[in-house]
């Protein structure tokens, strides 16, 4: 398995869980604009080692989700800002350039201290 991306969750905005029903999680590296913090899973150690691709696997803690589509801005935004939206609808075409689409699977709640990784292979 090759590690494509890795980080650690350090804070959850108050509104994060309200997006679970919409099958979305918004990631932002610590230092997110104040108006965004309450909606985001905030993380540190933003390390993108390679471009994310379809069929990679995203892990939040021990829970895995297969990547089904990668928006055109995902790799750049994740690398520079630590900011993307995880969309759990299983779409093969992202709705927006910053969406990382994942298999249609119920979101297991994120907790502080979770690792987030994307692996290939």
């Amino acid at each position: 398995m090759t590690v494509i991306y890795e980080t650690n969750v350090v804070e959850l905005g108050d509104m994060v869980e309200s997006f679970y029903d919409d099958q979305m999680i918004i990631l932002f590296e610590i230092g997110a604009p104040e108006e965004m913090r309450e909606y985001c899973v905030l993380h540190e150690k933003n390390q993108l080692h390679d471009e994310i691709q379809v069929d990679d696997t995203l892990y939040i803690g021990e829970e895995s989700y297969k990547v089904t589509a990668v928006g055109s801005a995902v790799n750049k935004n994740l690398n520079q800002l630590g900011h993307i939206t995880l969309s759990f609808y299983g779409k093969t075409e992202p709705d927006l350039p910053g969406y990382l689409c994942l298999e249609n699977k119920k979101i297991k709640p994120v907790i502080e201290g979770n690792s987030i990784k994307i692996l290939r292979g």
Side-chain angles (χ1 to χ4, degrees), residues 95-119:
D95 291 335
L96 293 169
Y99 275 33
L100 180 64
C101 300
L102 302 153
E103 67 182 293
N104 188 349
K105 187 173 172 182
K106 184 172 172 61
I107 299 171
K108 184 175 178 187
V110 180
I111 58 172
E112 287 181 21
N114 272 151
S115 64
I116 298 176
K117 294 181 182 178
I118 298 175
L119 302 178

Side-chain angles (χ1 to χ4, degrees), residues 34-48:
E34 195 59 42
E35 63 273 9
M36 293 289 297
R37 291 177 68 89
E38 68 181 312
Y39 305 105
C40 296
V41 170
L42 299 165
H43 60 92
E44 63 179 356
K45 193 186 78 159
N46 191 50
Q47 296 182 359
L48 183 63

